[in-house]
Amino acid sequence: MKIALFGATGRTGQHILQAALADGHQVHVLVRSPSKLTLSSQAVVVFVGDALDVEIVKYTMRECDVVASALGLTDPFQPEVLSQGTANIITAMESLGLQRLVAVAGAGILRDRKTGRLRLESPTFNPAYLPYAREHLRMLELLTHSHLDWTLVCPPAMRAAPAAPLRVAVNVLPEGGRSASYAAVGAFVYRLLSSSDFIHQCIGVAE
């Protein structure tokens, strides 16, 4: 399997890359700074550029079978960077006839178990995270209107720790779920790439 991976230098993306290489897959990565790649292998094909450039996004995907996105939000925060990058991924995939996309988003776009409303709409949702959650919501809206077989993996607070088993719930966080490791989320995203599970769904994951 050939995988196109966006966000490979990030804290989740590096674990997606690691899992794919461990299983012997070829991975095309689009990065702005190749020196930040934590893994090197003949199975990694590196493209230098930005997800805001739809042409290099499409070029990265050529000959690939599936796409994973762990694109992060820039610091300092720049509105629409993530949603525009996602729009470019959708455009390129539909142009090339690719179907399977698994991407990482935030738990703010999941439903609150008590109210049924989006977590980002809750009065207890941390206002500092609202700009990020709204950008993830725009990402979801773009995918909903696409023709792709997409899945969004939505963890709560993430931490650097060894991978631990994840609990999974559709459209909500697992009961009492408060955190997940980058390693576990990356491995879970990788597993979904070769699966038809959770298509057109947002998946809450937590330890």
Side-chain angles (χ1 to χ4, degrees):
M1 182 166 66
K2 290 185 180 180
I3 301 166
L5 172 59
F6 299 88
T9 60
R11 287 175 288 187
T12 304
Q14 63 184 295
H15 291 288
I16 301 173
L17 178 59
Q18 182 179 18
L21 293 178
D23 278 352
H25 300 299
Q26 185 179 89
V27 187
H28 291 193
V29 300
L30 176 63
V31 296
R32 286 175 293 181
S33 302
S35 62
K36 293 183 178 180
L37 278 170
T38 58
L39 295 169
S40 62
S41 166
Q42 290 184 340
V44 179
V45 182
V46 180
F47 298 84
V48 180
D50 195 299
L52 296 179
D53 181 345
V54 68
E55 291 304 320
I56 190 62
V57 168
K58 183 177 178 181
Y59 195 75
T60 301
M61 292 180 190
R62 289 194 317 165
E63 301 179 356
C64 288
D65 305 300
V66 294
V67 179
S69 174
L71 289 175
L73 291 156
T74 57
D75 186 17
F77 178 68
Q78 294 177 269
E80 301 185 2
V81 168
L82 178 57
S83 55
Q84 185 57 57
T86 300
N88 289 343
I89 288 172
I90 292 169
T91 296
M93 289 183 69
E94 291 184 337
S95 173
L96 293 168
L98 298 176
Q99 284 295 121
R100 187 60 167 140
L101 169 66
V102 184
V104 180
I109 63 173
L110 298 173
R111 297 285 172 180
D112 184 281
R113 284 180 172 273
K114 293 181 179 179
T115 67
R117 300 176 65 184
L118 296 179
R119 288 169 53 86
L120 65 85
E121 297 173 337
S122 169
T124 61
F125 192 80
N126 189 334
Y129 297 142
L130 273 174
Y132 305 94
R134 288 172 179 150
E135 184 70 344
H136 288 138
L137 184 59
R138 285 190 283 269
M139 179 181 174
L140 171 60
E141 291 167 347
L142 288 165
L143 290 169
T144 300
H145 290 93
S146 76
H147 297 98
L148 304 181
D149 292 337
W150 59 269
T151 302
L152 283 182
V153 177
C154 305
M158 298 181 71
R159 57 195 180 90
L166 290 178
R167 295 177 295 132
V168 177
V170 177
N171 291 327
V172 296
L173 277 176
E175 192 74 49
R178 297 188 180 277
S179 67
S181 71
Y182 297 108
V185 173
F188 183 71
V189 168
Y190 163 71
R191 289 197 301 272
L192 287 184
L193 288 171
S194 58
S195 168
S196 58
D197 292 341
F198 307 124
I199 287 176
H200 300 157
Q201 291 179 318
C202 296
I203 304 303
V205 296
E207 294 172 359

